[in-house]
Amino acid sequence: LGKTELQIPSTSANSAGDLPDMRHESEPAGSQATRQRAGLGPTVGATPTGAGYGLDVTLSAPNQVFLRGRGLDSELGGTLILRGTTARITPSGAFNLLRGRLDILGRRMVLREAQVQLQGALVPYVHILAGIESGGITSSVLIEGDAINPAVTFTSLPDLPQEQVLAHLLFDRSLDKISAFQAAQLGVAVATLAGRGGDGVMGAIRRKTLLDNLDVQADGTGNATVTAGKYLGDNAYSEVAIGQGGTSSISLNYDLGRNLTAKTHTDSEGATGLGLFLTRDY
């Protein structure tokens, strides 16, 4: 696979409610076959169309599988296997986290875990975990379930109610110490994670500029850094960062093999670096 975009829908599939019973007059065979495969067509006496040829297809995607939506911006890689028949495809396999983040109201959380897994159906199962540690409390947000309508839960160590966890995630303080405006922002954050928010300004700019990654971060003093990343080929990824104070850096990652990556880095201060990284999954 080349560059692949996976989008968590901004709303659940059934948010508009079920359609009333519909009668299809002179429906084309192709339309009826599509409805049957989706479980929406007549099933009595129905048979799958096509010859039903056997499948054994392996799709390799070591990188450039982008999973986005609901504040999530991540890149994954992995392998997908298609078996069964052309009439009934049975997919299996998973794409695992390479890099990513979760943005809620400008609060940046680096992803700890992310996986898109196919378990016999063409609707993938997603598992995404992000969080931060502050004030002795480790707060996490978990997005898990089928990609059409995943569930969102908030957990912490030590254990706290979910609304308390969300307050710590966004504002580093307990629920009884946030302002009325911040309380309203909690509702906006929940709406974003539930799929009632848009892709955001940065997502729109990234699509217009054909970049694979576009990010803006601010440090504790308010200085902003813009980061732009782009794949130069199947195995080479370059990233440029420009700081508000005129500092800049450029890095290049080159995959030498399935588990071996070479990384180079240089910045406007004259610092340079070169490293080889070996990674294995267990």
Side-chain angles (χ1 to χ4, degrees):
L1 295 179
K3 181 178 178 180
T4 305
E5 295 273 354
L6 303 177
Q7 187 79 21
I8 297 180
S10 57
T11 56
S12 62
N14 59 354
S15 59
D18 294 332
L19 290 172
D21 291 337
M22 300 179 66
R23 185 176 63 189
H24 296 261
E25 296 287 351
S26 303
E27 182 180 14
S31 172
Q32 185 175 1
T34 298
R35 291 196 301 116
Q36 287 177 5
R37 289 169 181 149
L40 301 174
T43 57
V44 177
T47 57
T49 59
Y53 297 106
L55 291 176
D56 187 2
V57 179
T58 299
L59 301 177
S60 176
N63 52 40
Q64 298 192 66
V65 177
F66 297 97
L67 177 64
R68 296 180 170 119
R70 306 198 188 190
L72 178 69
D73 195 335
S74 61
E75 182 186 357
L76 305 97
T79 301
L80 175 64
I81 298 173
L82 302 179
R83 290 199 173 97
T85 68
T86 52
R88 186 177 296 276
I89 301 173
T90 305
S92 62
F95 300 119
N96 297 295
L97 177 67
L98 295 178
R99 60 179 69 85
R101 58 187 178 269
L102 181 66
D103 261 319
I104 311 176
L105 297 180
R107 182 72 162 177
R108 173 65 45 79
M109 285 168 276
V110 177
L111 296 184
R112 297 174 183 166
E113 302 172 11
Q115 184 180 67
V116 176
Q117 187 173 24
L118 284 96
Q119 305 172 326
L122 290 175
V123 177
Y125 185 91
V126 299
H127 171 85
I128 301 157
L129 180 65
I132 57 174
E133 185 175 354
S134 178
I137 298 175
T138 301
S139 305
S140 304
V141 55
L142 176 65
I143 304 174
E144 191 171 38
D146 66 71
I148 293 178
N149 191 23
V152 180
T153 56
F154 303 97
T155 60
S156 67
L157 266 174
D159 191 29
L160 296 172
Q162 292 203 56
E163 60 272 16
Q164 287 279 15
V165 177
L166 187 55
H168 278 284
L169 274 171
L170 298 182
F171 308 117
D172 286 332
R173 61 190 65 183
S174 60
L175 192 62
D176 58 351
K177 293 182 179 179
I178 65 174
S179 66
F181 177 70
Q182 288 173 328
Q185 286 182 302
L186 290 183
V188 175
V190 172
T192 298
L193 291 171
R196 295 188 294 274
D199 196 18
V201 175
M202 296 305 292
I205 296 175
R206 175 184 49 75
R207 290 195 303 272
K208 293 284 186 181
T209 56
L210 303 180
L211 292 169
D212 294 318
N213 180 41
L214 182 62
D215 187 27
V216 177
Q217 286 184 282
D219 59 20
T221 60
N223 294 320
T225 300
V226 179
T227 303
K230 177 72 176 177
Y231 271 93
L232 307 178
D234 291 339
N235 301 320
Y237 174 80
S238 181
E239 200 166 72
V240 177
I242 301 175
Q244 187 172 331
T247 60
S248 62
S249 65
I250 183 170
S251 60
L252 176 66
N253 293 4
Y254 188 81
D255 294 332
L256 300 174
R258 184 172 183 177
N259 301 308
L260 186 63
T261 301
K263 299 183 180 182
T264 64
H265 176 88
T266 184
D267 60 30
S268 57
E269 304 294 325
T272 60
L274 171 65
L276 291 175
F277 295 81
L278 178 67
T279 60
R280 294 296 299 269
D281 291 331
Y282 296 95

